[in-house]
Amino acid sequence: MLYIIGVLLLLSVQVVSAEERYVYSTQWGGLGDADGQFTWPGGIAVDSAGHLYVTEDVAGRVQMFTSNGTFLTKWGTRGFGNGQFMNPGQVAVGPDGSVYVTDTGNHRVQQFTANGTFVTKWGTAGTGNGQFTTPDGIAVDRAGNVYVTDTGTRLVQKFTANGTFITKWGSWRTTVETPWGTKLPLTETFYTPKGIAVDADGFVYVTDATYDCVDTFTADGAFVTKWGTAGTGNGQFQGAYGIAAGADGSLYVTDYDNSRVQKFASNGTFVTKWGGAGTGNGQFRAPEGIAVDANGTVFVADYDNSRVQMFTLKPLTVTPPTVSPIPSVPGGAGTPASTTTGTCDDVNGDGGLDFDDVALFFNQMDWIAANEPVASFDFNGNGAIDFGDVVCLFNRT
């Protein structure tokens, strides 16, 4: 029995749930310059109250909406002054509600209050600390520190909430030469750093639209890992663009030329995907910015369709099977019953779910397969009574 317990413990960490499914909920926008319309939306962010902020590349403005797309306010015009933009890039919201926008064409970052009042700005064209050449992605951590991807210098720069330079990382070079003449790849090197996100634990994630990967760093820029290659398969990209971190640590990436969104665990394990090229509901043409609210609702800036689309995770439902009468399992205390799942997880019929049920099921699998309705004990849903059901039942206890 101790051996069985050990095997179950090992397998329990390998069991994954069925693939998640995100479904289209609503959309808003349309090509135009009226309130609520867009001229190519690129960046999107959500605040703690569920308000959404969307940047428009051509119009040079930011629009604010409720979570269901009701227009609230806007600010910005094309120009070089405070509160004006030349091709605004991405947008992020700080823990105090401040809104930060990368002003790509003006090579700077601008900070605003939640309703669009200008607060401050920093950055000029150049390659020095605190300077930019086409800044794009932006993210804010829980302490209010601001992280910016600069596609021109291929760097990430980190600042305080008011724009004081802290540190930077990345490199122009794709290889580094060792003292003995060997050229090795630089793991922290970017070619086209685009999106950036910071999770609740302070890890920083950067998408590279040319290398088609996601790089993970500590808050100080120490390289941790990377994942992704060029392609169309799960976990591959054709232009990794926007990225957002969910409250549970999940990561969402817009896959630009594959016209889809992919979801990953924080370690890069693929979870699910959705989308496809087109103009219909749930389809994309050049998805760029992405945001996820505290409830896990996902919002995507659908650039070439000039709209924002909203998606929600479809809940998994369990329908109790219709089965014939269930006899008691030999060695049990009573008639097997369902505790919460619709299947007879209370195998020994003692009124509760515990390890005794797992042990009885394991010992009586052959008898159960021959004498009980399979659907009532098919815990993993594969249509048979097997050891996978033992593992599934063990995970429920």
Side-chain angles (χ1 to χ4, degrees):
M1 182 59 70
L2 288 176
Y3 170 76
I4 296 170
I5 294 173
V7 172
L8 288 170
L9 287 171
L10 176 63
L11 291 177
S12 66
V13 300
Q14 298 174 329
V15 173
V16 295
S17 61
E19 184 175 288
E20 296 178 346
R21 181 186 175 195
Y22 281 79
V23 295
Y24 168 85
S25 181
T26 190
Q27 64 176 283
W28 64 92
L31 183 61
D33 57 8
D35 294 348
Q37 292 184 312
F38 302 112
T39 49
W40 297 284
I44 188 167
V46 60
D47 66 18
S48 59
H51 300 126
L52 292 161
Y53 302 84
V54 183
T55 61
E56 292 177 75
D57 187 10
V58 176
R61 66 180 180 179
V62 178
Q63 293 194 68
M64 180 182 179
F65 301 88
T66 64
S67 60
N68 63 3
T70 301
F71 173 83
L72 295 175
T73 189
K74 64 183 177 183
W75 67 88
T77 57
R78 291 185 65 84
F80 310 101
N82 295 341
Q84 293 183 308
F85 304 101
M86 292 298 293
N87 306 107
Q90 299 297 310
V91 58
V93 181
D96 65 348
S98 294
V99 179
Y100 298 87
V101 181
T102 51
D103 190 0
T104 303
N106 285 325
H107 309 290
R108 65 185 180 183
V109 171
Q110 295 196 64
Q111 178 187 359
F112 303 88
T113 64
N115 63 4
T117 301
F118 174 81
V119 176
T120 190
K121 64 185 178 185
W122 68 88
T124 56
T127 59
N129 295 342
Q131 292 185 306
F132 305 106
T133 56
T134 59
D136 193 352
I138 191 164
V140 187
D141 66 20
R142 287 188 169 187
N145 298 308
V146 181
Y147 303 77
V148 181
T149 60
D150 190 9
T151 58
T153 60
R154 301 173 185 175
L155 297 171
V156 170
Q157 295 195 59
K158 179 180 178 180
F159 303 87
T160 64
N162 62 3
T164 300
F165 175 82
I166 298 175
T167 190
K168 64 183 178 184
W169 65 89
S171 174
W172 278 87
R173 299 171 296 166
T174 57
T175 60
V176 60
E177 188 168 338
T178 67
W180 50 91
T182 304
K183 289 187 176 181
L184 299 174
L186 282 173
T187 53
E188 76 279 8
T189 297
F190 306 115
Y191 197 94
T192 311
K194 295 294 289 186
I196 189 166
V198 186
D199 69 14
D201 295 321
F203 289 102
V204 181
Y205 305 87
V206 182
T207 60
D208 193 313
T210 300
Y211 286 159
D212 291 311
C213 65
V214 177
D215 292 272
T216 308
F217 303 89
T218 66
D220 296 323
F223 175 79
V224 177
T225 189
K226 70 166 58 178
W227 71 87
T229 57
T232 60
N234 295 342
Q236 294 184 309
F237 305 102
Q238 294 285 357
Y241 242 70
I243 186 167
D248 63 351
S250 297
L251 298 169
Y252 304 79
V253 181
T254 53
D255 191 358
Y256 191 87
D257 287 326
N258 283 327
S259 301
R260 64 185 181 183
V261 171
Q262 296 194 66
K263 179 180 179 180
F264 302 87
S266 59
N267 64 357
T269 301
F270 173 82
V271 176
T272 191
K273 64 186 176 185
W274 69 92
T279 60
N281 296 344
Q283 294 181 313
F284 304 107
R285 292 196 304 150
E288 288 199 5
I290 189 165
V292 56
D293 68 15
N295 298 316
T297 302
V298 179
F299 304 87
V300 180
D302 191 3
Y303 187 84
D304 279 349
N305 282 325
S306 289
R307 64 184 179 183
V308 169
Q309 295 195 69
M310 180 171 76
F311 301 88
T312 55
L313 180 62
K314 184 178 181 179
L316 297 175
T317 58
V318 177
T319 303
T322 302
V323 296
S324 56
I326 299 171
S328 298
V329 177
T335 302
S338 172
T339 58
T340 59
T341 63
T343 51
C344 292
D345 46 11
D346 177 18
V347 180
N348 62 11
D350 67 354
L353 173 59
D354 52 35
F355 189 75
D356 289 341
D357 296 298
V358 181
L360 182 62
F361 183 83
F362 176 79
N363 290 325
Q364 297 292 343
M365 272 197 299
D366 291 342
W367 187 92
I368 291 172
N371 296 279
E372 300 280 16
V374 171
S376 296
F377 296 86
D378 181 18
F379 304 116
N380 65 2
N382 70 348
I385 302 298
D386 53 30
F387 193 74
D389 297 304
V390 181
V391 176
C392 190
L393 182 62
F394 176 79
N395 287 332
R396 294 181 186 178
T397 59

